Amino acid sequence: MPERTQVAIIGGGPTGCAAAAYLARGGVDALIIDRDDPPAVQVGESLLPVCAPILLDLGVDMSGFAVKHGATFVRDGAAVRFPFGDALRVLYPHAWQTPRAQLDQRMREAALRDGARFLHASVSDVELPGRVITDAGTVECDFVVDAGGRNQFLARKLGLRVRHPWLKNAAQGAWHRGITPQEPEIPGDVAVTTFEGGWFWFIPFADGHWSVGCVTTPDGPRGPNQFEAALALCPDAQVRLANAERVEPFRGASDISVSATAFHGEGFALLGDAATFLDPVFSTGISLGLHAAREFARRYAAGESLEPWEADCRASVAAFEPVVKSFYDGTFLDIALADPARQQATVRQAIISLLAGDVFDPDFAAPRRFGGRFDSIHRMIVK
């Protein structure tokens, strides 16, 4: 007999598990389908404070993860630190640095406690409406959710996948040990060091490992030796890696910024990175996924239209897009590293609110408005 469920969710990462948990709370039978059990190691380890209310509401155990109080950005030896506690408003003062295999396992446990189910299987096809073909058999369902990540399985099949018009970046990274933090970083901070043509991330974990990787633009190094070539261009990364040891093979991807022309349709929805992935620079992926999952589940369980949900998802991505653009054109760091005497206090606070991910509240529009004003602020602050 085929497996039967109301909502089949492809992908057992944070987005899929959040959707399953909230659907189950709403009385909907939700089945998570994932080929990796236990979860596999992957990137996306640095969370934002805006994730905290959802994780805590779901009862996800965050104990033992490195606490992330802020972010440090570095360019040509000049550094600036942004503590989350200095935001325009502080809904939650910190986030976490979470090895994804551990976070995903805890998310699955939380979803199962709420009544969701799990199927260990690899999806080979989807036949809309209502059939998911796996190597463990066919799943019959009323609705299919793709929360399987940036590979965008369902968007590809439906011809909805599109690449970003101007973000054409490539990423390569791996876990390391022996990273040497630099001032003004404090334990738990994510550090971003930049160079002409790209940037490095440094994400510390509680056990002493670090996720370290580089993102390069089309003007930066590419290919199998991308990391080493980028490192040669970035003294600020070199000093942090001087005594480090890589402990696993590099993982990489090119043209990482993707989206879909529709996030939902008859019998399906795309959540998180399966709908759109902007860029890793501000660690927005899981935040966008969790918020999309919660609102989708609420509307689906209530039998409401998903049109407002898709509009909200697109608006949230659009709030981050000008900030990402300002990072790559240098405007963001020009403002961030400018003489504090030239900055209004609210400029720094608004930057921190954006870095904390506080763009989802329609009644608190200040961070979103600020994100669209980088060019004018740059003209006022940087002479």
Side-chain angles (χ1 to χ4, degrees):
M1 291 289 292
E3 182 82 45
R4 173 70 196 172
T5 187
Q6 287 177 274
V7 178
I9 300 172
I10 302 170
T15 299
C17 289
Y22 280 116
L23 285 168
R25 288 184 181 187
V28 177
D29 180 39
L31 178 70
I32 303 165
I33 307 171
D34 199 289
R35 66 185 178 187
D36 295 317
D37 187 27
V41 174
Q42 55 185 300
V43 295
E45 305 105 334
S46 192
L47 304 186
L48 303 183
V50 75
C51 298
I54 293 178
L55 294 170
L56 297 177
D57 180 47
L58 291 175
V60 180
D61 177 16
M62 303 304 289
S63 64
F65 291 137
V67 177
K68 173 186 175 184
H69 290 285
T72 298
F73 291 83
V74 187
R75 183 177 68 186
D76 297 332
V80 59
R81 181 176 183 272
F82 294 110
F84 296 133
D86 289 350
L88 286 171
R89 66 173 183 176
V90 182
L91 298 179
Y92 210 79
H94 68 260
W96 298 271
Q97 312 286 23
T98 58
R100 278 292 303 280
Q102 297 177 32
L103 176 64
D104 290 14
Q105 182 61 39
R106 297 185 192 190
M107 292 288 300
R108 291 183 189 183
E109 292 166 358
L112 294 174
R113 287 196 302 270
D114 275 323
R117 298 185 292 129
F118 180 82
L119 175 65
H120 180 203
S122 180
V123 174
S124 58
D125 200 6
V126 172
E127 298 175 356
L128 294 176
R131 299 186 76 209
V132 179
I133 314 303
T134 82
D135 59 2
T138 299
V139 176
E140 305 279 358
C141 58
D142 301 328
F143 199 89
V144 178
V145 168
D146 186 356
R150 200 169 38 77
N151 184 54
Q152 296 192 307
F153 177 85
L154 193 51
R156 286 175 183 268
K157 176 178 174 60
L158 298 176
L160 304 175
R161 190 175 196 258
V162 291
R163 299 195 184 279
H164 195 277
W166 51 266
L167 282 168
K168 306 291 183 183
N169 299 336
Q172 190 177 69
W175 282 21
H176 289 68
R177 291 189 66 90
I179 301 299
T180 306
Q182 304 292 305
E183 293 184 352
E185 299 164 48
I186 69 170
D189 277 2
V190 59
V192 171
T193 65
T194 65
F195 61 94
E196 190 67 32
W199 57 278
F200 281 84
W201 75 75
F202 293 85
I203 299 171
F205 300 133
D207 66 356
H209 287 93
W210 292 66
S211 173
V212 182
C214 68
V215 174
T216 58
T217 69
D219 296 329
R222 294 294 177 96
N225 298 319
Q226 173 185 335
F227 189 95
E228 291 84 357
L231 186 60
L233 301 174
C234 189
D236 295 312
Q238 293 170 22
V239 69
R240 288 166 171 79
L241 283 160
N243 300 307
E245 172 192 12
R246 179 164 56 86
V247 298
E248 64 165 352
F250 283 117
R251 299 184 298 274
S254 60
D255 283 339
I256 54 181
S257 301
V258 292
S259 189
T261 55
F263 291 178
H264 78 287
E266 186 66 31
F268 78 91
L270 313 175
L271 300 186
D273 293 354
T276 187
F277 180 80
L278 187 58
D279 192 84
V281 65
F282 296 120
S283 304
T284 57
I286 291 180
S287 303
L288 291 166
L290 292 180
H291 281 264
R294 182 177 64 179
E295 184 63 11
F296 162 79
R298 184 191 71 77
R299 286 186 171 274
Y300 183 89
E304 298 177 4
S305 168
L306 293 180
E307 290 292 338
W309 165 79
E310 177 164 342
D312 288 344
C313 289
R314 292 190 180 277
S316 298
V317 174
F320 287 115
E321 192 162 17
V323 191
V324 172
K325 178 180 182 297
S326 74
F327 176 82
Y328 284 104
D329 68 20
T331 304
F332 174 85
L333 283 177
D334 283 348
I335 295 171
L337 294 167
D339 182 352
R342 301 190 62 85
Q343 298 184 19
Q344 294 181 350
T346 54
V347 168
R348 178 178 170 82
Q349 289 177 301
I351 289 175
I352 294 171
S353 291
L354 285 168
L355 296 179
D358 195 359
V359 302
F360 297 97
D361 183 353
D363 296 324
F364 184 64
R368 295 195 300 277
R369 289 198 303 266
F370 180 83
R373 294 177 55 223
F374 270 92
D375 287 343
S376 60
I377 293 169
H378 185 266
R379 288 193 295 270
M380 290 187 293
I381 292 178
V382 181
K383 301 296 184 181

